[in-house]
Amino acid sequence: MSVSLQLAQTLLAILLAPLLMGWVNQCRAWLQGRSAPPITQPYRTLRKLFHKDAVIAHNASPLFRFAPYMIFACMALAAGIVPTIANDLPFSPAADVIALVGVFALARVFLALAAMDIGTSFGSLGARREMLVSFLAEPALLMVFFTASLISQSTELPHIVETLAHKDFAIYPSLAFAAVAFWMITVAENARIPVDNPTTHLELTMIHEAMILEYSARHLALIEWAVALKLFTYSTLGIALFLPWGIAPHGDVAALPLALAAMVAKLALGGALLSFMEAISAKVRLFRAPEFLGTAFMLAVLGMLIHFLLEV
Amino acid sequence: MPVAFLADSILDLAWGVVLFWLALGGASLLLHGSPRLLTRLVFPLGALGALGIAGVGVAGLILPASAMVLPIGLPDLPFHLRLDALSAFFMVLLGGAAFGITVYATGYFRSMAAGPLALLAMWYHLFLAGMVTVLLADDAYAFMVAWEVMALSSYFLVTTDHKIPEIRRAGFLYLLIAHVGAVSLLLAFGVLQGGEGDYTFNTMRLAELTPFWSSAVFLLALFGFGAKAGLVPLHVWLPEAHPAAPSPVSALMSGVMLKTAIYGLLRATFDLLNVQIGWWGTLALALGLITALYGVIFAAVQSDMKRLLAWSSIENIGVILAAFGLTLIFHTDGKGALAALTLTALLYHALNHAFFKGLLFVGTGSVLHATGERRMGHLGGLMRAMPWTAWLTLIGALAIAGLPPLNGFVSEWLLLQAFLFTPGLTQPYLDMVVPVAAASVALAAALAAYVMVKFYGVVFLGQPRDPALRHAHDAGWPERLGMLWLAAGCVLLGLLPTQVIGWLEPVVLMLTGQTLPGAGSWLLLAPVSTERASYAPLIFLAVVVVVLLLTYLWVRRVYHGRVRRSDPWDCGYPEGDARMQDSAEGFGQPIRQIFEVFMRVERETPDPFDRKPHYRGDSRDKLWLLIYQPIDDLTAWLSKQAGRLQHGRIQWYLIYSFATLIFLLVFAAR
């Protein structure tokens, strides 16, 4: 039962991730006064890309062709760890939140290495900027998880969700700091404004796009899908940590439909909020990004410190 | 008593391997006429000895401690040897890493001239023998003799290419700091024996020291072993000396020799001293974190691949020392289980570092052998020409970056877990130290990934920055075997953490008096309980592999696998050539810009009208300027003052003698 629930939940995440991306794009188009693409546009793009012939540079190494599959597998694994609708994940003991950070890092390192593989100026530029953003975002994310783990005495996501969702209502100031930090990290790690712009192809500003310039067809499709999955995983992570109400507890099958509805509503709201924040902010200069992330890092550490000082 | 007999015989075996290595060293001098015999016979036999030491270590972890007295040394001062769990663990580390490195060396030194090769083979085996004797020594005399043998033989190994002035200078700096450290150790042992006049470790264990003298011992040991380990600010020799040595020697020095300092620190603090004081831990933690961050920041701005790895060793030693500090804090605070957890993380990380740093250093050795180039800005694209080296080095790079499911992640995971159990420490200020420490460890780990992407991306990926690199030859079979051994170590240590932790248990029990509760199974690593935290690398790997294969098959089956080759797209820019890729300096530029306060940056930027524009950016260690330069200047000034006494005129010297005589007579008459 729980194994099938685990599989169903992971598959659902993989299949629905592009939909969230489509929703965010749609919201953003509305906010910018453009006519919006249909919400299923990401699926069409993926289908188109899968049908195309892959064009690969002459000097690409096997690493270049291997990386998209690796990145996709990492993101699928990450999606499998995070409780979306049910808390009953038999796979979750295999990887806790620290391992989750490790999975994201693994995918990122492969993407950066693949970007440097062809040896174009844009590829290495993107790789360097991506690693610059991540060296601050990754410890900040870890600190956010630490705050949640200290409260729930566990680094297992189902246990964290269980504690945070079913405890008597209490206000944790540390979690407030962690939530702000987590929002900033999500923005940075998913290549959104103000750190990166997912739609730009202007060389001065791009980070993520610069890394995947050389990819085409099925490889690009896998990477785009992985990107959508990453946004989805981060969103569900945020929900699991800070708005966990409604996730079906262990062994409660009857709560599943309600949990699904709650998750769809929360994701829709979160996606709309993300596009709204993007619409009202401007992309910052590259060397402002470390300041932005440094702030996130400091907030996350402060959250942990506050937990030690006030809540123990 | 068959168990005691077994324990005694493995100690005999360990000493036998030491003698065997000494004999090999001697034999290599005799074989100086036949380099083939040296590489085909002496080094493989040396590798066999390393395997024997690893076997002795594994047996020593299971068997009880045993001791013996050797009738060598000074009269009344024989060598005492002892093999207990702590020594045994470090012997596993030494033997395991040294086996791979020595197998690699059989191929690596093939093209060396016979004379220098014979000398090198002698020092190499003497170095190995010295390190094992350090681990076995049970009295201060034997320890210091072995310690000096290790320092001197590695000095001669560093200066193998002594015709290059920089290498001579690096060797001298190494020798100098090694001896300053050794003096400090000598003093530490002097205090430790507590006025008994007996320098065996057994006497030291029984000596009752006041807290003041205990602290003095700890500080002296921290200084002395820190100088060997590369603790900031005693690290300056490390990025000079480690890259100067031939690559297998760099691998041994970084992977193994630095760990003997960790061994010494653990031995002195937890075994020889019978009380530990809390603030020692805070000091070690702070120094370790500073070392880790300092090392990784400087690693990110290096443009010489071996220097980059040397700085990364400083970072790893910093992490190990931070774990040491935490262990001390928990141990003195009465949190035995936590101390056991951090000590496990410490030992695990030391073992991991021996394997991945060894692998990376020998990987750069193959690159150096094939291209004759250490500067990353002249390399690139070696993945195509040297696939074996490149793929095996990739494993090392991913492991050192702390990525699951490889070994670097496991020790990092264990260490981070320790921070999460800290609430409830009796010292309130520690509650504030711990989050900051956790953040620093996480930051250092994330920067390590930056460093490794830079290292691997610039050297092995991209286009070759020199056309000749297209024809670089890959490593030969002995080199490949050596690298395979080390890479297999990285993978297995990553995939089987519960087994490894089981082996570490006797060491942890010996030093902290407690073991981990350990709730996991062979598949699931759960140091405390499964509700709290768990990690199962085998399942992790299985899921990644299954998803990867399913995706691959699905994409191929449902769509197609057609591929067209063309020129790179590069935003439609047609002129891109190898020089437009990021250089090592370019890749490190963001880090240099952010952390410029720690460095003295020298820039040479071209004039717009230069015919041959040249850019150079050099980031130097500010600590050299702040600490070592004044000492250097002071020494020079003092020598100059002393030099005034010397005129070269005989009458002056006669007056000096006369004055001394008068002075002594006055002194004697009183």
Side-chain angles (χ1 to χ4, degrees), chain A residues 53-54 93 128 154-156, chain B residues 531-532 534 562 564 570 582:
Chain A
D53 283 11
R128 158 164 44 106
S154 170
T155 57
E156 307 277 332
Chain B
E531 280 86 45
R532 260 207 105 129
S534 59
R562 288 194 294 271
R564 204 148 51 79
D570 202 17
D582 258 13

Side-chain angles (χ1 to χ4, degrees), chain B residues 138 189 192 200-207 209 217 264 266-276:
Chain B
D138 197 33
F189 284 129
L192 255 176
T200 58
F201 284 176
N202 256 336
T203 325
M204 296 183 186
R205 284 188 192 103
L206 300 174
L209 295 178
V217 169
L266 286 173
R267 173 71 74 196
T269 316
F270 285 101
D271 189 24
L272 300 185
L273 282 167
N274 39 28
V275 281
Q276 288 86 26

Side-chain angles (χ1 to χ4, degrees), chain A residues 25-232:
Chain A
N25 288 342
Q26 213 170 25
C27 288
R28 193 160 65 158
W30 285 330
L31 286 167
Q32 290 174 341
R34 293 186 282 133
S35 57
I39 197 165
T40 51
Q41 185 61 40
Y43 293 103
R44 297 182 187 186
T45 315
L46 288 180
R47 188 163 163 272
K48 178 188 80 182
L49 286 173
F50 274 124
H51 276 290
K52 287 192 166 192
D53 283 11
V55 183
I56 292 179
H58 290 300
N59 62 342
S61 74
L63 181 79
F64 184 78
R65 296 174 68 173
F66 171 72
Y69 296 99
M70 186 69 196
I71 294 161
F72 186 78
C74 285
M75 287 308 154
L77 174 69
I81 305 171
V82 184
T84 41
I85 50 173
N87 215 356
D88 196 4
L89 298 177
F91 173 60
S92 75
D96 64 350
V97 282
I98 303 178
L100 184 64
V101 175
V103 178
F104 287 135
L106 187 62
R108 181 188 314 118
V109 166
F110 265 96
L111 187 58
L113 288 178
M116 296 184 79
D117 185 56
I118 307 290
T120 59
S121 40
F122 285 118
S124 43
L125 173 146
R128 158 164 44 106
R129 290 179 175 177
E130 170 80 4
M131 296 315 288
L132 170 69
V133 167
S134 69
F135 94 77
L136 279 166
E138 191 187 303
L141 183 62
L142 209 51
M143 291 304 112
V144 169
F145 286 151
F146 272 22
T147 310
S149 305
L150 284 169
I151 291 172
S152 57
Q153 299 288 305
S154 170
T155 57
E156 307 277 332
L157 269 170
H159 285 281
I160 296 177
V161 172
E162 191 96 10
T163 331
L164 296 181
H166 304 289
K167 229 176 186 175
D168 295 335
F169 185 75
I171 293 174
Y172 291 104
S174 58
L175 273 188
F177 278 94
V180 177
F182 184 78
W183 177 270
M184 294 169 85
I185 298 159
T186 306
V187 164
E189 285 279 42
N190 288 285
R192 316 298 299 191
I193 292 174
V195 176
D196 191 7
N197 186 347
T199 54
T200 187
H201 275 107
L202 189 66
E203 61 265 35
L204 288 179
T205 56
M206 52 183 179
I207 301 178
H208 179 76
E209 286 297 314
M211 288 197 292
I212 60 173
L213 267 181
E214 298 299 326
Y215 275 114
S216 59
R218 57 177 180 273
H219 303 126
L220 183 61
L222 282 173
I223 290 182
E224 293 288 0
W225 201 340
V227 166
L229 201 50
K230 188 175 182 185
L231 182 66
F232 187 87

